[in-house]
Amino acid sequence: MRTIVLCSLLSAILFNNCASKKVTNNDDVLKEENHPVRELYLSSIEALNEGNLDLFLTNFAPEIKMYGTDGNYFGQNALRERFQNVLQQFPDMRMEIPKLTLEMLSKDVVLVNFKWKVFPMNQGPAYSGIGSGIYTYRNNKWSEILEIETVTHIAKELQVRK
């Protein structure tokens, strides 16, 4: 049910943001290596891996809505608390982004789709998943306003037995 609600929410946002522009050609699919959103996204992952929470959070708009794998977070303060807890629990955690694609929905809106892997102990068993984010360009900067994450695989060593 949660996935259906989140997909509906994402669809509504995408429809409202790009109703006046129909994506019809390859010019609308961004060259990943040339767009500032790609650089911003990857630099924020690097900052997280370094434990630099302040730099990591510059990726997100103050009003960010994140539907995470462990709950829903609204606003940068909620994200700060989430990731402070994660970094305290797993100080050696490392995140990888094996796949990242960007699509221009309008001149000021970019859809980011990604695959992720989180290694709680920096290497070894990992959580894997997919996600999507919406970035907007406001006040002369790009920032993420919405993100949805889903776990697709948990290494058996990390699975909690009930």
Side-chain angles (χ1 to χ4, degrees):
M1 177 68 176
R2 178 176 153 183
T3 301
I4 293 169
V5 170
L6 294 178
C7 288
S8 297
L9 174 65
L10 183 58
S11 296
I13 289 169
L14 293 176
F15 178 77
N16 288 333
N17 282 326
C18 60
S20 63
K21 179 182 181 198
K22 186 174 182 182
V23 176
T24 58
N25 63 44
N26 287 339
D27 293 338
D28 296 321
V29 176
L30 301 173
K31 297 292 181 199
E32 296 173 20
E33 64 277 1
N34 297 331
H35 199 276
V37 167
R38 181 180 195 275
E39 182 179 322
L40 176 63
Y41 181 92
L42 292 175
S43 67
S44 71
I45 298 301
E46 185 177 319
L48 180 65
N49 287 340
E50 293 170 357
N52 187 338
L53 198 52
D54 290 330
L55 185 56
F56 171 70
L57 290 171
T58 63
N59 181 48
F60 303 100
E63 71 279 7
I64 180 70
K65 289 184 169 86
M66 182 178 284
Y67 298 89
T69 58
D70 59 343
N72 301 328
Y73 302 90
F74 305 114
Q76 271 191 358
N77 290 337
L79 282 189
R80 178 177 296 281
E81 188 175 316
R82 176 194 190 195
F83 287 101
Q84 276 177 333
N85 292 336
V86 168
L87 290 172
Q88 285 173 351
Q89 187 175 4
F90 302 103
D92 294 328
M93 181 209 74
R94 181 174 51 90
M95 182 177 222
E96 291 181 359
I97 305 300
K99 185 173 182 181
L100 178 66
T101 60
L102 287 73
E103 185 176 338
M104 185 66 95
L105 300 179
S106 76
K107 71 180 183 76
D108 295 331
V109 179
V110 173
L111 170 64
V112 175
N113 291 303
F114 54 95
K115 290 185 178 183
W116 55 266
K117 281 186 125 172
V118 171
F119 299 86
M121 305 306 171
N122 193 281
Q123 59 187 3
Y127 297 91
S128 301
I130 57 173
S132 294
I134 300 290
Y135 283 73
T136 61
Y137 189 75
R138 294 182 286 189
N139 302 321
N140 295 316
K141 76 175 250 185
W142 287 98
S143 57
E144 187 173 19
I145 60 168
L146 174 70
E147 184 171 308
I148 299 171
E149 307 166 351
T150 302
V151 174
T152 57
H153 179 76
I154 302 172
K156 65 180 175 182
E157 300 89 341
L158 298 172
Q159 294 177 9
V160 178
R161 309 249 188 261
K162 293 185 180 186

